């Protein structure tokens, strides 16, 4: 069986204002920070975009310092405290509990853990005004 590639893939949904980060294999906190910084700096109004992290194919574990850095990064990119939503898709109960334990680091961010992507997207897009036109997502690698 071939080894799983280590990478972060990104899809930006400009229509419903959320960004999906899929982590596969071994991804280090510094790599994730670099990718989120790159993506959110490319957005015209980054504070409007919620986040979805799909970590079902993620092998290693992010450390407390990585979560703290993500929280600090978000405040910097958004220009201060900005309410947003952060959905995590995982089928691992231990990861889900660990993620929920880091909620106090993100006072302006409401986070939830889901086992299915469609449920996470439904929650992220609650209240988003969607027009009759369906806009495709942009894929960033």
């Amino acid at each position: 069986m071939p080894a799983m590639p280590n990478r972060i893939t990104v899809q930006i949904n400009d229509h419903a204002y959320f960004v999906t980060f899929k982590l596969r294999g071994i991804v280090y906190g510094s790599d994730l920070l670099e990718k989120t910084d790159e993506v959110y700096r490319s957005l015209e109004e980054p504070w409007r975009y919620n986040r979805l992290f799909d970590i079902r194919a993620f092998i290693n574990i992010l450390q407390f310092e990585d979560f703290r850095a993500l929280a600090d990064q978000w405040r910097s990119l958004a220009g201060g405290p900005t309410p947003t939503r952060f959905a995590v898709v995982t089928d691992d109960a231990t990861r889900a509990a660990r993620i929920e334990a880091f909620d106090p680091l993100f006072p302006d961010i409401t986070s939830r853990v889901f086992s299915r992507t469609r449920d996470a997207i439904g929650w992220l897009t609650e209240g988003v005004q969607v027009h009759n036109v369906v806009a495709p997502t942009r894929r960033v690698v």
Side-chain angles (χ1 to χ4, degrees):
M1 176 177 231
M4 180 184 305
N6 302 324
R7 67 176 180 215
I8 303 168
T9 56
V10 178
Q11 289 183 323
I12 301 170
N13 186 313
D14 291 313
H15 188 62
Y17 298 105
F18 70 91
V19 180
T20 301
F21 296 87
K22 289 186 181 182
L23 285 64
R24 297 186 59 85
I26 298 171
V27 175
Y28 297 101
S30 59
D31 298 329
L32 182 56
L33 280 169
E34 185 177 305
K35 182 57 82 176
T36 54
D37 188 68
E38 171 191 330
V39 169
Y40 274 84
R41 287 193 189 281
S42 75
L43 300 172
E44 190 171 315
E45 297 175 302
W47 57 89
R48 295 186 71 183
Y49 288 78
N50 292 315
R51 294 182 190 193
L52 188 157
F53 279 29
D54 184 340
I55 61 170
R56 289 174 292 184
F58 178 56
I59 293 174
N60 59 316
I61 296 173
L62 295 175
Q63 302 301 316
F64 173 82
E65 295 79 21
D66 299 323
F67 283 96
R68 167 51 77 201
L70 281 169
D72 292 343
Q73 179 192 57
W74 173 247
R75 281 184 213 96
S76 172
L77 290 170
T82 305
T84 190
R85 289 185 173 190
F86 174 61
V88 178
V89 178
T90 182
D91 48 13
D92 183 318
T94 303
R95 285 184 191 262
R98 193 164 188 268
I99 289 163
E100 290 171 356
F102 287 118
D103 272 354
L105 291 174
F106 303 93
D108 303 315
I109 298 173
T110 304
S111 66
R112 285 195 48 197
V113 178
F114 299 88
S115 59
R116 298 183 325 181
T117 303
R118 78 175 131 154
D119 295 336
I121 290 172
W123 178 71
L124 287 176
T125 59
E126 278 178 1
V128 173
Q129 295 297 319
V130 178
H131 304 286
N132 292 329
V133 178
V134 177
T137 58
R138 292 187 279 149
R139 184 176 179 95
V140 180
V141 180

